[in-house]
């Protein structure tokens, strides 16, 4: 009998053990590790809901912490809620003397996109280092006690269980199972949305689809500087079509203007580069480096192009957020078409190809004698920032997925909504950036010259509202899913919506809607908008101007 107490303890402990330690349950399951995922999780917690963030990423924040520190803001007055809180926390960080390790605060130029980077009046800062942004997201995690499951990848083949048009659970490749009442897909790719059988589009619609002007193929449209301003032969031997095409040029015809296709605007890595001698490392020479693949850039230089450093946008501590600029730059044009639908292994290969291309480009610009001496001399002052992305050889952990899948949901935003030709119903946030698409292809003209296509930049006259219907699928397809990143929109409208502040705004609004749908036990499509509007206004979201 003296062993009975011990036996009872063992039995009690055994009976309390979960049936399956790989099964998890919460009111709201968020798939993704982007900025939208974190603001969604915070809002869910603020509304008293249990939430689990199932993140394929180990680092949180997506592009906001992945190199895009020179924020595409547009009209900052329409950025409210947790998005504005994020930029306020960035501001507070840079008010500390310790934040300025490689540069004195008073030496920082405070340059932003049309307005000061550091807005003292509104106590916000819009330009920042990647590691600072990541720490702000991690602080949100700590303060709101968010449950984050990292490096968990959705089983895209059999990992979504639906019953009567509702997602009951999702499972990951590790074998973990997540059950929830409402699910949020906050990925750049829309993997959960697609696996749930929700309708979506990849590529550019024709202009006829929604009666637009700027959709589809746009040959001869040059609204930025990312095109060939001089006649440069597309062939290995200039003027000789029998010699073959130079590398990085497609042999396919561009298509008729206004026609739809499956092409995507180009991806790139936004680089955090340093010009401080003690905080930079030389640009690596990628395996298999071949200078011949950059012959087209050599010809651009030979034609007199001199804008190499125009998008080395300054961020604090003598660093830059380096973006694509010019006819041949960091955008790897035409090499991402398969990415949205590709398997994880195929995506990994696509990312490696983008990395090799971009690292090879930097090495070419730094070392090749066909590059002007002045450019090579300036490149010698730059290197990858030693204190950024330290566990990834100082290379960004997130590629700039400018566009992948886009849901075809309850309401489709088009350029008519963005440009103010329509009144947007049931607003849940606002955008203000231009219809902004990078090039989608590089082709050969009828005269044998090389040219880019797809780059547009049409500015709306005023900020515009974004409809709640863009966040939800058609009810008959799925009644408990919200999609704040791969929103229901045309290619042209998404070119404006796709900014990181907007993703944070929509993530927060999606979580508020999810929480209210749970409270009312209704489908997300049947949520009474007035209830959502009230919560969003209380959370200081800006819904209309």
């Amino acid at each position: 009998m003296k062993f009975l107490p011990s036996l009872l303890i063992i039995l009690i402990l055994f009976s309390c053990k979960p049936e399956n330690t790989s099964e998890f349950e919460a009111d709201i399951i968020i798939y993704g590790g982007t900025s939208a995922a974190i603001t969604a999780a915070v809002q869910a917690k603020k509304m008293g809901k249990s939430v689990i963030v199932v993140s394929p990423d180990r680092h949180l924040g997506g592009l906001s912490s992945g190199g895009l520190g020179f924020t595409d803001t547009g009209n900052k007055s329409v950025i409210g809620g947790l998005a504005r809180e994020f930029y306020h926390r960035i501001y507070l960080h840079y008010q500390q003397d310790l934040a300025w390790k490689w540069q004195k605060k008073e030496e920082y130029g405070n340059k932003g996109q049309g307005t000061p980077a550091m807005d003292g009046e509104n106590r916000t800062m819009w330009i920042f280092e990647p590691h600072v942004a990541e720490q702000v997201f991690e602080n949100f995690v700590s303060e709101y006690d968010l449950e984050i499951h990292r490096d968990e990848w959705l089983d895209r083949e059999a990992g979504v269980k639906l019953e009567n048009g509702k997602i009951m659970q999702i499972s990951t490749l590790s074998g973990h199972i997540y059950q929830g009442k409402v699910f949020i897909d906050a990925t750049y790719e829309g993997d959960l949305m697609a696996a749930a059988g929700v309708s979506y589009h990849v590529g550019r619609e024709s202009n006829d689809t929604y009666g637009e002007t700027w959709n589809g193929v746009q040959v001869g449209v040059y609204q930025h500087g990312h095109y060939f301003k001089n006649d440069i032969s597309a062939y290995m031997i200039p003027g000789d079509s029998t010699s073959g095409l130079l590398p990085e040029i497609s042999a396919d015809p561009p298509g008729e203007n206004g026609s739809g296709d499956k092409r995507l605007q180009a991806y790139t890595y936004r680089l955090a580069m340093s010009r401080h001698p003690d905080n930079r490392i030389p640009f690596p020479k990628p395996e298999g480096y071949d200078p011949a693949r950059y012959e087209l850039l050599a010809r651009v230089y030979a034609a007199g192009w001199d804008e190499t450093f125009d998008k080395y946008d300054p961020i604090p501590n003598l660093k830059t957020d380096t973006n694509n600029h010019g006819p041949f730059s960091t955008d790897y044009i035409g090499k991402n078409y398969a990415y949205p639908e590709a398997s994880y292994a195929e995506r990994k290969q696509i990312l490696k190809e983008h990395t090799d291309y971009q690292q090879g480009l930097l090495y070419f610009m730094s070392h090749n004698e066909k590059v002007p001496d002045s450019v090579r001399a300036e490149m010698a002052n730059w290197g990858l920032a030693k204190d950024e992305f330290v566990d990834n050889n100082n290379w960004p952990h997130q590629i700039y997925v400018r566009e992948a899948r886009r849901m075809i949901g309850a309401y489709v935003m088009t350029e008519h909504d963005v440009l103010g030709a329509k009144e947007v119903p049931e607003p849940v946030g606002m955008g203000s950036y231009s219809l902004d698409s990078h090039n989608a292809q590089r082709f050969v003209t009828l005269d044998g010259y090389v040219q880019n296509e797809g780059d547009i930049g049409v500015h709306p006259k005023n900020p515009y509202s974004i409809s709640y219907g863009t966040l939800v699928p058609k009810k008959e397809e799925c009644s408990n899913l919200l999609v704040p990143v791969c929103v229901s929109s045309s290619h042209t409208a998404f070119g404006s919506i796709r900014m990181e502040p907007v993703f944070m705004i929509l993530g927060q609004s999606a979580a508020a809607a999810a929480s209210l749908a749970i409270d009312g036990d209704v489908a997300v499509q049947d949520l009474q908008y007035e209830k959502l509007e009230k919560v969003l206004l209380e959370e200081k979201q800006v819904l209309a101007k």
Side-chain angles (χ1 to χ4, degrees), residues 240-533:
D240 182 0
S241 62
T242 65
S243 64
L245 289 173
L246 286 173
E248 315 307 339
I249 302 174
S250 172
D252 294 332
E256 295 185 11
N257 273 16
S259 63
D261 59 22
K262 294 299 182 182
R263 298 181 178 105
L264 298 171
Q265 56 177 309
Y267 296 173
T268 190
Y269 285 96
R270 297 286 287 255
L271 299 181
M273 292 160 49
S274 171
R275 60 185 176 93
H276 194 288
D278 297 331
N279 191 41
R280 68 179 184 226
I281 62 172
F283 297 118
K285 182 179 181 180
E287 183 180 356
Y289 168 73
D290 180 5
R293 75 184 302 188
Y294 306 103
E295 174 62 24
L296 187 53
L297 177 59
R299 294 187 187 182
V300 170
Y301 279 129
W305 186 75
D306 62 352
E307 302 172 15
T308 301
F309 303 102
D310 283 12
K311 284 301 290 179
Y312 280 44
D313 292 316
I315 61 177
N317 282 308
L318 297 179
K319 298 177 189 175
T320 177
D321 167 3
T322 304
N323 195 11
N324 177 83
H325 181 74
F328 191 104
S329 185
T330 58
D331 278 1
Y332 197 22
I333 298 173
K335 304 304 172 68
N336 60 340
Y337 302 157
Y339 180 86
E341 305 282 23
S343 67
Y344 292 134
E346 290 167 338
R347 284 182 186 169
K348 186 176 181 180
Q349 180 61 30
I350 292 170
L351 297 182
K352 183 181 185 304
E353 291 168 359
H354 277 72
T355 299
D356 288 346
Y357 164 79
Q358 203 163 337
Q359 290 184 349
L361 175 68
L362 293 169
Y363 193 84
F364 180 86
M365 293 168 62
S366 303
H367 293 83
N368 197 278
E369 293 183 356
K370 291 185 177 181
V371 175
D373 292 343
S374 59
V375 174
R376 281 185 286 141
E378 177 61 19
M379 288 295 291
N381 296 321
W382 292 98
L384 298 180
K386 190 182 296 186
D387 60 350
E388 299 290 353
F389 315 119
V390 295
D391 63 348
N392 197 42
N393 297 316
N394 309 103
W395 194 258
H397 44 71
Q398 174 66 59
I399 198 169
Y400 196 170
V401 179
R402 290 191 172 98
E403 192 169 2
R405 299 182 180 98
R406 299 187 312 280
M407 180 169 64
I408 304 174
Y411 185 89
V412 180
M413 290 280 289
T414 70
E415 65 184 52
H416 304 297
D417 300 283
V418 174
L419 298 179
K422 289 175 61 181
E423 183 175 347
V424 177
E426 301 185 340
V428 291
M430 298 194 74
S432 62
Y433 210 76
S434 62
L435 302 174
D436 183 42
S437 174
H438 281 235
N439 283 305
Q441 61 178 323
R442 179 178 290 136
F443 67 98
V444 184
T445 69
L446 294 177
D447 295 325
Y449 300 120
V450 61
Q451 193 51 268
N452 297 333
E453 182 277 319
D455 184 83
I456 61 171
V458 181
H459 295 274
K461 293 180 180 179
N462 299 296
Y464 59 91
S465 297
I466 300 171
S467 174
Y468 176 60
T470 66
L471 306 185
V472 296
K474 298 170 184 175
K475 186 178 178 182
E476 62 269 22
E477 293 184 344
C478 189
S479 61
N480 67 334
L481 174 68
L482 293 114
V483 183
V485 177
C486 295
V487 296
S488 178
S489 64
S490 69
H491 160 73
T492 49
F494 193 77
S496 175
I497 295 170
R498 65 178 181 85
M499 305 304 157
E500 286 292 301
V502 178
F503 287 154
M504 292 189 220
I505 290 167
L506 298 182
Q508 181 178 9
S509 295
S515 300
L516 291 171
I518 291 171
D519 290 343
D521 192 23
V522 296
V524 294
Q525 294 85 357
D526 294 337
L527 178 63
Q528 186 178 346
Y529 173 71
E530 288 72 20
K531 293 182 178 180
L532 177 59
E533 180 184 39

Side-chain angles (χ1 to χ4, degrees), residues 124-191:
T124 50
M125 187 164 178
W126 309 91
I127 313 297
F128 46 83
E129 299 161 276
H131 76 272
V132 173
E134 185 171 359
Q135 188 56 57
V136 171
F137 288 117
E138 292 293 350
N139 290 344
F140 277 132
V141 171
S142 299
E143 292 172 27
Y144 288 89
D145 193 25
L146 301 180
E147 185 174 350
I148 314 287
H149 292 205
R150 303 175 199 245
D151 199 22
E152 289 289 341
W153 298 78
L154 177 69
D155 180 350
R156 291 161 57 191
E157 299 300 322
V160 180
K161 181 180 179 181
L162 295 105
E163 290 182 8
N164 300 318
K166 293 180 65 176
I167 301 174
M168 306 306 295
Q169 66 182 40
I170 64 173
S171 58
T172 58
L173 295 179
S174 69
H176 288 181
I177 295 172
Y178 299 90
Q179 299 174 343
K181 298 174 182 175
V182 176
F183 292 77
I184 296 176
D185 184 342
T187 64
Y188 291 121
E189 296 82 6
D191 282 343

